[in-house]
Amino acid sequence: MECNHEASSLMHKYLDGDISNEEEKKLRLHLEDCEACQKHFRELKRTITLLQSTEHIEAPANFTANVMNRLPTEKKRMKYGRWFKAHPIITAAALFLIFMMSGVFSAWNQDSELVVSKQDNLVIEGDTVIVPEDVTVEGDLVVKNGNLVIKGTINGNVTLINGKLIENPIESEGLMASAGGVNGELKHVDQIFEWVWYNLKNLFRSIFAF
Amino acid sequence: MEQFIREKIKKVKKGDQSAFEDVVSFFQSKIYQHCYRMLGNAHEAEDIAQEAFIRAYVNIHSFDEKRKFSTWLYRIATNLTIDRIRKRKPDYYLDAEIKGTEGLNMYSQMADEGRLPGEEVESMELQRYIHQEISELPPKYRSVIMLRYLEEFSLQEISDILDIPLGTVKTRIHRGREALRKRLRHV
């Protein structure tokens, strides 16, 4: 057996626990004959013993506390992400609410044009709707994005959205203006929440109408 | 213990930062020692060991729970120490010979820590000598030898930690052992 290479490679196999029974026998036989290899083997084993005898070092005091202090605070995005994953139903409800609200808001913002429910005999001047003196409107009247002047009579409910009811368009006609009348409810809607409320009420009313 | 760490890691993954505290205190001395042996000084060792835990925390979601946490942690620590060694300038080495002197290096210029009488001095001297010999090994042998004999990992685990083939681990261990044998022969 060649001392330098083969024997030393067997020694390392032995030290790694990789050696087969046959190889071990071969190594033992060689070691009995070869003093140089015996010495080599002893030195290797002693090296390992020395390495294993070294004492362990302890981490400095406060090491854990220092690490904990240096940890990044959790990102808010992460926190929310985890929260959403943990509460899928609330997340779904919130999303639904957001879409619904945005739908209502865009409906509110979209039409800034004057809209008047279809009634005969109404006079429209710019963004003012006038119910002339001698006219009686049968049914409900809805005016959106415009003012309403009532000189005649309305036999129904009046809804004003984003507009004003002008009682006295011309001062000299003050007395005459009072001649106008509404034989029904007069509703005024010009805040967005009222608009939402109005829409919801309409929705429920239409549901219960069935 | 393995199970204890596994539970803690699960909690950390769920966002429980305080569970990580137990993980750190369980591994602190091992990781600190590993960094100390790799780097050879306490200041850098503490810095890098802390960094290793912080990296582990930040990247906890990339840790595969089927694997061993200790292996993963040692891998982070080892990579950080090797990076640090690479970034060092050669003249930072304490064992570099001082110009114009013979056999004098920075170690001999440092004040000795408090000495103890008698046999304890001998054993401490021996310890210090062994550590110095380990620290003079090239980093790639040093890491393998330390993981095998100071931290008692199996060859397969070392292969996982260093992300090198098992055969390479064996070769490095053989060479490291031979190198240390020559250095420690006269002790």
Side-chain angles (χ1 to χ4, degrees):
Chain A
M1 189 192 279
E2 195 207 322
C3 273
N4 287 340
H5 190 71
E6 202 185 345
S8 94
S9 102
L10 284 182
M11 288 177 206
H12 284 291
K13 272 190 169 181
Y14 174 86
L15 294 172
D16 288 341
D18 275 350
I19 202 164
S20 70
N21 283 345
E22 240 165 74
E23 287 172 321
E24 197 177 340
K25 207 180 281 171
K26 205 167 156 193
L27 177 66
R28 199 180 301 140
L29 281 174
H30 176 71
L31 287 179
E32 277 170 15
D33 292 341
C34 176
E35 242 177 77
C37 281
Q38 255 182 52
K39 190 166 172 263
H40 189 146
F41 193 48
R42 223 181 302 126
E43 283 172 357
L44 277 176
K45 287 210 279 193
R46 182 148 183 279
T47 303
I48 292 167
T49 313
L50 282 174
L51 286 174
Q52 284 171 333
S53 75
T54 57
E55 58 194 22
H56 288 263
I57 306 175
E58 291 292 316
N62 295 329
F63 183 90
T64 302
N66 289 340
V67 171
M68 293 310 286
N69 286 337
R70 279 179 65 189
L71 287 188
T73 45
E74 287 185 275
K75 281 180 202 149
K76 279 200 171 147
R77 199 170 49 81
M78 291 270 292
K79 255 186 199 165
Y80 291 140
R82 209 171 32 242
W83 191 86
F84 284 143
K85 266 180 207 158
H87 303 90
I89 294 170
I90 297 175
T91 308
L95 276 179
F96 172 75
L97 210 74
I98 288 166
F99 285 130
M100 200 192 77
M101 289 308 279
S102 64
V104 171
F105 277 114
S106 61
W108 168 256
N109 287 326
Q110 245 169 28
D111 30 34
S112 54
E113 277 171 36
L114 175 67
V115 178
V116 185
S117 61
K118 203 173 175 245
Q119 301 285 354
D120 295 330
N121 307 323
L122 294 176
V123 179
I124 297 171
E125 283 173 7
D127 57 356
T128 308
V129 178
I130 301 164
V131 182
E133 267 173 75
D134 49 349
V135 169
T136 304
V137 176
E138 295 292 336
D140 298 347
L141 177 67
V142 177
V143 177
K144 204 166 154 189
N145 301 319
N147 300 327
L148 178 66
V149 177
I150 303 168
K151 290 175 183 166
T153 325
I154 298 167
N155 284 330
N157 299 332
V158 173
T159 308
L160 268 169
I161 298 161
N162 211 14
K164 271 185 285 191
L165 177 69
I166 301 171
E167 303 257 7
N168 293 342
I170 305 156
E171 276 188 28
S172 60
E173 288 178 60
L175 281 171
M176 293 176 73
S178 65
V182 179
N183 301 326
E185 262 183 272
L186 178 70
K187 263 185 287 181
H188 229 188
V189 182
D190 51 12
Q191 292 292 318
I192 194 142
F193 292 110
E194 288 182 44
W195 161 246
V196 171
W197 178 233
Y198 170 78
N199 270 350
L200 283 177
K201 266 203 303 200
N202 272 1
L203 180 74
F204 282 112
R205 198 173 295 151
S206 62
I207 289 169
F208 288 117
F210 283 106
Chain B
M1 215 61 229
E2 190 74 4
Q3 191 54 35
F4 170 79
I5 294 298
R6 218 174 277 270
E7 295 290 317
K8 293 292 172 191
I9 297 301
K10 262 185 201 155
K11 282 188 181 171
V12 175
K13 276 195 172 181
K14 280 180 189 152
D16 182 355
Q17 204 175 59
S18 64
F20 195 64
E21 195 165 350
D22 297 327
V23 177
V24 178
S25 67
F26 182 72
F27 284 110
Q28 56 174 354
S29 290
K30 293 174 187 218
I31 293 296
Y32 175 76
Q33 162 165 284
H34 183 72
C35 294
Y36 189 94
R37 298 292 184 224
M38 284 297 285
L39 295 163
N41 79 74
H43 180 73
E44 273 186 310
E46 186 170 2
D47 192 34
I48 293 293
Q50 283 189 13
E51 183 67 29
F53 282 109
I54 291 163
R55 294 266 176 114
Y57 178 78
V58 171
N59 298 306
I60 195 76
H61 291 280
S62 67
F63 166 63
D64 177 4
E65 273 168 76
K66 281 175 235 132
R67 299 183 58 191
K68 240 176 130 181
F69 181 74
S70 60
T71 316
W72 189 68
L73 187 60
Y74 269 94
R75 184 174 183 166
I76 295 173
T78 310
N79 288 342
L80 285 173
T81 56
I82 288 172
D83 276 355
R84 174 59 65 95
I85 291 167
R86 276 199 201 119
K87 278 181 197 155
R88 272 181 191 161
K89 287 178 185 152
D91 52 349
Y92 285 174
Y93 282 117
L94 288 174
D95 52 3
E97 210 170 84
I98 298 166
K99 271 181 195 167
T101 64
E102 214 159 285
L104 261 186
N105 59 30
M106 286 305 280
Y107 280 117
S108 58
Q109 300 302 100
M110 287 194 295
D112 274 338
E113 287 153 38
R115 282 177 176 266
L116 296 164
E119 276 178 21
E120 252 172 287
V121 174
E122 251 170 58
S123 106
M124 279 189 52
E125 289 286 295
L126 178 61
Q127 292 267 340
R128 192 179 297 185
Y129 183 71
I130 293 168
H131 285 311
Q132 196 182 325
E133 292 305 323
I134 296 173
S135 73
E136 281 173 17
L137 286 175
K140 60 178 179 178
Y141 299 140
R142 201 191 313 162
S143 56
V144 173
I145 287 289
M146 276 176 6
L147 289 169
R148 183 76 192 93
Y149 291 112
L150 274 68
E151 284 135 38
E152 292 171 341
F153 281 104
S154 71
L155 296 179
Q156 184 55 54
E157 282 169 331
I158 296 170
S159 150
D160 288 342
I161 291 169
L162 299 174
D163 199 21
I164 52 176
L166 191 57
T168 313
V169 175
K170 285 182 188 169
T171 313
R172 287 186 187 177
I173 275 202
H174 296 182
R175 295 201 181 140
R177 270 196 300 241
E178 285 297 339
L180 281 175
R181 178 186 71 90
K182 281 174 197 144
R183 287 159 185 267
L184 297 174
R185 186 157 38 184
H186 309 295
V187 173

